[in-house]
Amino acid sequence: MFSVEVRDRIMIAHSLPDPFFGPAQALHGATFVVDAAFFSEALNEHNVVVDIGAAAAALHDALAPLAYQNLDALPQFSRVLTTTEFLCKHIFDQLAEAARTGALGTDGHGLARLRVTLHETDLARATYEGPLL
């Protein structure tokens, strides 16, 4: 399987209001390094998985509505624990939609899988990976 991976970053604020999260229950900031990997069984006629510029733009567009936001104040996250794992899936869904709707060009229709990884620090990260249907 072939893959192309692009990277971006995002700064957010949020709280995780459940005793399970200890001190992270309080409002705090996070800066995530975000990796998105696009997988294909075969290369296209240009011998690439997907245009790397289109992949980088799609990742940037998926992150833009979250950048410098307090996630607790966004209606789509009302009463949601916006954990790192949850945010991986949210970004995955945005990129999957970009592939389905042509934001990655025709190459997006040939993608088999997608993986989104959010690095909280150099010591901790979370990932969501799945097929693109």
Side-chain angles (χ1 to χ4, degrees):
M1 175 116 20
F2 297 96
S3 70
V4 166
E5 193 164 344
V6 294
R7 176 173 277 187
D8 205 336
R9 66 178 46 90
I10 188 170
M11 296 173 70
I12 58 101
H14 68 157
S15 62
L16 299 169
D18 184 293
F20 176 82
F21 294 101
Q25 291 178 76
L27 183 65
H28 61 280
T31 300
F32 295 110
V33 173
V34 183
D35 293 324
F38 302 83
F39 295 88
S40 179
E41 295 284 345
L43 299 177
N44 69 13
E45 68 275 8
H46 298 106
N47 278 342
V48 300
V49 171
V50 67
D51 178 271
I52 201 164
L59 178 58
H60 177 79
D61 291 348
L63 298 178
L66 308 178
Y68 299 101
Q69 297 295 314
N70 176 352
L71 302 184
D72 298 347
L74 298 179
Q76 67 267 36
F77 299 134
S78 177
R79 287 178 263 189
V80 173
L81 293 170
T82 53
T83 62
T84 305
E85 296 90 335
F86 172 86
L87 292 172
C88 286
K89 177 65 163 73
H90 174 78
I91 295 164
F92 175 98
D93 290 342
Q94 302 303 304
L95 292 173
E97 182 66 14
R100 280 191 291 277
T101 60
L104 296 171
T106 57
D107 300 330
H109 300 293
L111 294 173
R113 296 186 72 74
L114 175 62
R115 181 180 63 227
V116 174
T117 302
L118 272 69
H119 302 260
E120 290 191 51
T121 70
D122 60 327
L123 302 175
R125 66 180 177 247
T127 297
Y128 183 84
E129 181 175 341
L132 291 177
L133 305 174

